[in-house]
Amino acid sequence: YPSRILPACLDLGTDNEELREDPFYLGTPAPKPKGEEYYAYVDEFIQAMRRRYPYALIHFEDFETERARELLRRYRHNSFVFNDDIQGTAAVTLAAFLGYVRASGVP
């Protein structure tokens, strides 16, 4: 249902100096914030989403692994959050294993 999806992009900059200097770079030409400053931007977005769409599933895509883990840790108890790189890989692996068990007849 595309009418029920709201794509959002949090462009917090890049640490790639070559990209920042490229006149055709469409992103924010600033270094990414570090530490709590980074999470403050994400917190603001999550809070705004929860106010406007309290039951929305927020899918984190292409966050670095450590940041993705921290985001899941911060929000998993009060928001519907999902990271495909972490949880999606685990779900597909489990599905493959369960499919093998079912196909092989091994209990």
Side-chain angles (χ1 to χ4, degrees):
Y1 297 96
S3 65
R4 296 184 183 180
I5 295 173
L6 174 65
C9 176
L10 298 180
D11 181 358
L12 301 180
T14 179
D15 291 329
N16 184 323
E17 191 171 339
E18 187 178 332
L19 276 178
R20 290 194 309 257
E21 294 175 1
D22 185 332
F24 296 105
Y25 178 59
L26 298 177
T28 300
K32 272 187 192 175
K34 305 289 184 231
E36 285 304 313
E37 181 184 6
Y38 175 89
Y39 294 111
Y41 285 110
V42 180
D43 286 344
E44 185 177 346
F45 172 77
I46 296 293
Q47 289 170 18
M49 287 296 295
R50 287 179 53 210
R51 278 192 304 273
R52 179 65 179 95
Y53 304 104
Y55 302 107
L57 170 65
I58 299 170
H59 173 189
F60 297 118
E61 176 67 35
D62 292 335
F63 281 75
E64 295 137 330
T65 301
E66 287 310 309
R67 286 187 171 155
R69 288 183 201 281
E70 176 61 17
L71 292 171
L72 291 173
R73 185 195 67 74
R74 286 178 182 235
Y75 304 116
R76 68 179 173 208
H77 296 296
N78 61 13
S79 298
F80 300 112
V81 294
F82 176 79
N83 180 283
D84 68 326
D85 294 327
I86 295 172
Q87 295 163 305
T89 301
V92 169
T93 302
L94 178 60
F97 178 73
L98 293 174
Y100 168 77
V101 169
R102 177 178 279 169
S104 68
V106 176

